[in-house]
Amino acid sequence: MKRQDTLLASIEKANLDGILLVKDSNIRYISGFTGSESYVVVSKRGKAFITDSRYTEQAEQECPGFEVVRWRSPFPELEETIKKVCERFGIKRLGFEKDVVTYERYEKFRDGFGDDIELVPTSGLVEELRYVKDSSEIECIRKAAQIADSAFEELLKSIKPGITEKDIEIELQYLIKKKGATDIGFPTIVASGARGSLPHAVPSDRRIECGDFITIDFGALYNGYRSDCTRTFAVGRADERQRYIYNIVKRAQQIGIESLRPRVCGKEPDKNARSIIEEAGFGENFGHGLGHGVGLEIHEQPFMSSKCDKIIQPGNVVTVEPGIYIPGWGGVRIEDTVLVTENGPEILTKITKDLIVI
Ligand SMILES: [Mn+2]
């Protein structure tokens, strides 16, 4: 209820009579609905959950306080259904999420609603509320992180020269689900040997060789919430250059985490971690931002790059994930999911960052 009340306050502040939500994660946050392809209208006068026959029963169970309105044959079409809801709730100025409503969908709404309802583009009204996690959300992320940690530790036992990156991906997915996750948190990245220079490598048929570095970026989904963790480790042995570069990234990651304190600007941790990598001469090999928020989505606010203007707050859950990527050689990335507390950062993904050699 508190979330809905806070949203109502934001709507009023934006001088709107109501808001139409179409983004699944925002709908879930506000209504509790775990499905997809549905629409929510929130206003002072009422709250409607608009969906078709696939989801009406589920919505009635999951969304107390919402009037469930069915559309699609034999019921009226979507535009007409939403229009009627707005008329009943006295909505003349209706906000919509401009970053997710396609132009085609906007045209259909505009033409279907006519002159009586003004469509007003909005940005981040619900995301702004999701930015600071409450204790129930933090517990879900914590649980997701625990499951993923445990799965990774078990996965290591089965990695040996000769198996492929895809074998690793499949085994990790199996372990994450077996240990109680709803699903994996996002498509797993497995990058071995020279492929390690690809920050977002899709697992391939490449076979693991002795002396490889392997980077695995993985997470679990638990009750709608995600964890995100990356480790780079060696198979059989690690040479001097591998250890040297690993330790630079490890140091940068540590500095990034230590910088993650309430009331600092989100660009600060990026700057501090990046300076370690730059001073070591690898600035050009670290092309992405330091990290991002994690929650109902795998990538959400705050996006911690050099351009971030968000202020870090207790209750933010973010990743810290510097990397060094060298074409032809490979790469290293180390990532944790970190909770910001009043007392400083708390690391939720707890796998060791001492170089693992299996
Ligand atoms: Mn990440």
Side-chain angles (χ1 to χ4, degrees), residues 186 200 217 228-230 291-292 294 298-299 319 321 333 335:
F186 55 91
H200 273 190
D217 187 339
D228 193 359
C229 178
T230 306
H292 52 85
V294 190
I298 188 60
H299 298 125
T319 68
E321 51 177 311
R333 180 166 66 254
E335 171 181 31

Side-chain angles (χ1 to χ4, degrees), residues 4 8 18 25-26 150 155 160 164 209 238 244 255 267 277 305 315 321 355:
Q4 295 164 12
L8 280 174
S25 53
N26 286 344
S150 159
L155 171 77
K160 50 183 178 290
T164 68
E209 294 169 16
Y244 175 70
I255 296 291
K267 70 177 72 154
I277 291 175
S305 70
E321 51 177 311
L355 179 61

